[in-house]
Amino acid sequence: MAGTVEPGGGAQRGDGGTCRCGKCPHGAREGHRQAVAAFVALREDFAAGRGVPAGLARSAGAARQWVSDELSLSARTLAERAAAEGAARLAAAGRRTPLIAWALVAALLIGQALTAIGSGWTVTRTAGLVAAVVPAMGLTVAAWRHGAHGGALAPLIGADRRLSTSRTVAAAWVAVALYAVVMAAVQLAAAGGPRERRKLRVGIELALSAPLLTVLGVVCAVALLAYGLVSARVRTGRVQKVPAARPRAVDLLTDDAGRGSFPDAQYALVNAVAVAYAAVCLAVRPDQLPRLPWGVAVLVVLSGATYLAGRSTAGGRPVILSVVRSRELGDLASPIRTGDDIEIRGTGFVPPGAGTPDRLARTVVRIGTVHVPVPLIPVAGGFANPTDDVLTVPVPVDVEPGRVEVRVVTAAGAETGGYAIDVQD
């Protein structure tokens, strides 16, 4: 039974009452799931040779192009549903952020109230509670202002719609430093006399806080340098960037293709341990800034240097290494002519993160002055064309015989250098 629309423009519901409105996270997720199922079924049918019109079955080239066009249209719908799900999830995360923040504040209040039984309420407990309320209020304002972009997560999301490892690490250290400073300020304001104030000032002196300030400066500098480095390399074509459908927590540990990344993982894990150490120091001595050992600070600096080195060497331009005539078994060797298939061999034709069907369909080969979309060739479970190192395209009849250049334009917009081939009449 088809989905129905509730009176008054309510949510669409299919069998079993499943929401398919596309606006709430559940509806967007269901719409994306159905689009994926429809695309996979279509691809598997084409891979098995089913679904091709009988009038096109006699021409392998025409049938292949028709299949590719049908898959490209279905891939567009799939991409739209994926984008809708990503936007709904991001908006939901923006709404949940202040709830989580205030839940943590409530848990802190309950914990302090329980530990105050017998010993009484202290200025330190008040300072800790105020230090938690201040960032919670900031997160609430951020969620209200940037709810559609992830709320408090908005500053941590890069231009490629992925969670930035360097920004997240810097934000964690800023949160620790802000919490410690607010606690010290409240305790200093509530101090009973000059002697107590003097003791509190000693706890925030530069000499004792130098390792923490060094770490804070390094992680903020790494975040800025990583952003500038990646932006410059994208503009010069030395790295290919494809936007993600939505940010995910796993982005902190992986590259753009979703594979584990050593520079990202070690930077995130080293700083997670160091932040936990700073939090323990603050819990043990709440009257002073966390006193990090210089060894921990040096470890964070080395981790940041490794992360930046990985950012400066990752990626690369797409490159054509050779172009040959695609030969079927039993065919005689012959020059490249219009109408023939050519096989372009190289590397970097499918950028990291561009393995989705809609991105694969955006790969284009320029032969002379003619732009040829790379056909999607389905096989069971995936695609045989295009791949990262081989593309197969037909030479259209509009290509003038003679020496022409072949260039590949990837889904990220990067273009290879020209590779000259001879096309016979």
Side-chain angles (χ1 to χ4, degrees):
M1 182 178 66
T4 60
V5 180
E6 300 294 337
Q12 295 180 358
R13 298 187 179 276
D15 295 337
T18 304
C19 177
R20 298 189 303 173
C21 66
K23 297 178 181 179
C24 67
H26 297 291
R29 189 182 305 116
E30 179 63 18
H32 182 217
R33 187 193 66 78
Q34 293 181 0
V36 170
F39 181 84
V40 169
L42 184 65
R43 184 193 64 198
E44 296 303 308
D45 281 346
F46 287 152
R50 299 186 297 268
V52 180
L56 298 175
R58 300 190 186 100
S59 173
R64 184 179 63 185
Q65 187 60 52
W66 183 86
V67 167
S68 179
D69 290 343
E70 290 295 311
L71 288 173
S72 297
L73 289 174
S74 181
R76 290 181 187 177
T77 302
L78 178 59
E80 291 172 358
R81 294 299 181 93
E85 182 188 10
R89 284 177 177 266
L90 199 58
R95 293 190 296 268
R96 286 195 299 264
T97 302
L99 299 178
I100 295 173
W102 287 109
L104 292 176
V105 172
L108 177 62
L109 176 60
I110 294 172
Q112 289 183 340
L114 293 176
T115 56
I117 297 175
S119 60
W121 192 268
T122 62
V123 173
T124 301
R125 290 188 172 91
T126 301
L129 187 60
V130 172
V133 168
V134 170
M137 293 177 63
L139 292 176
T140 302
V141 173
W144 175 65
R145 296 277 304 203
H146 305 286
H149 303 287
L153 297 179
L156 309 182
I157 300 173
D160 58 354
R161 295 202 291 270
R162 294 180 176 87
L163 272 181
S164 169
T165 305
S166 58
R167 295 186 191 183
T168 303
V169 167
W173 280 109
V174 168
V176 170
L178 177 63
Y179 187 88
V181 169
V182 173
M183 277 196 68
V186 173
Q187 292 179 87
L188 189 61
R195 190 172 185 179
E196 190 175 350
R197 291 193 184 93
R198 192 179 304 112
K199 180 182 177 181
L200 289 170
R201 289 194 185 98
V202 171
I204 59 176
E205 286 183 351
L206 179 61
L208 300 177
S209 308
L212 174 64
L213 297 178
T214 299
V215 168
L216 185 61
V218 166
V219 296
C220 290
V222 167
L224 294 175
L225 288 173
Y227 173 76
L229 183 64
V230 172
S231 297
R233 298 190 75 216
V234 169
R235 286 193 297 268
T236 57
R238 286 178 291 176
V239 68
Q240 301 186 69
K241 273 284 186 181
V242 175
R246 61 182 175 88
R248 303 179 300 166
V250 74
D251 294 339
L252 302 177
L253 306 176
T254 61
D255 59 13
D256 291 354
R259 299 183 296 262
S261 168
F262 173 74
D264 291 72
Q266 62 85 29
Y267 188 58
L269 295 177
V270 165
N271 279 278
V273 173
V275 166
Y277 184 91
V280 171
C281 291
L282 187 60
V284 173
R285 293 294 303 271
D287 58 337
Q288 62 184 22
L289 295 181
R291 296 186 180 180
L292 296 179
W294 275 109
V296 174
V298 172
L299 179 63
V300 172
V301 171
L302 293 177
S303 179
T306 303
Y307 175 79
L308 286 178
R311 277 285 175 265
S312 63
T313 57
R317 296 173 180 270
V319 177
I320 297 178
L321 300 178
S322 61
V323 178
V324 298
R325 178 178 177 270
S326 183
R327 174 180 171 273
E328 297 290 340
L329 292 177
D331 283 353
L332 299 176
S334 64
I336 298 175
R337 292 184 171 86
T338 56
D340 288 342
D341 287 342
I342 57 174
E343 190 176 276
I344 304 171
R345 302 171 182 174
T347 182
F349 299 149
V350 180
T356 56
D358 61 304
R359 298 289 181 183
L360 292 176
R362 295 179 63 182
T363 310
V364 175
V365 174
R366 188 171 58 157
I367 305 176
T369 59
V370 182
H371 291 79
V372 185
V374 177
L376 297 176
I377 300 179
V379 293
F383 295 94
N385 189 61
T387 63
D388 189 62
D389 53 359
V390 177
L391 304 178
T392 300
V393 294
V395 179
V397 294
D398 295 328
V399 174
E400 295 292 336
R403 196 163 186 82
V404 297
E405 273 194 346
V406 175
R407 295 176 182 266
V408 175
V409 182
T410 69
E415 185 176 271
T416 66
Y419 191 95
I421 63 172
D422 292 313
V423 178
Q424 301 292 326
D425 193 358

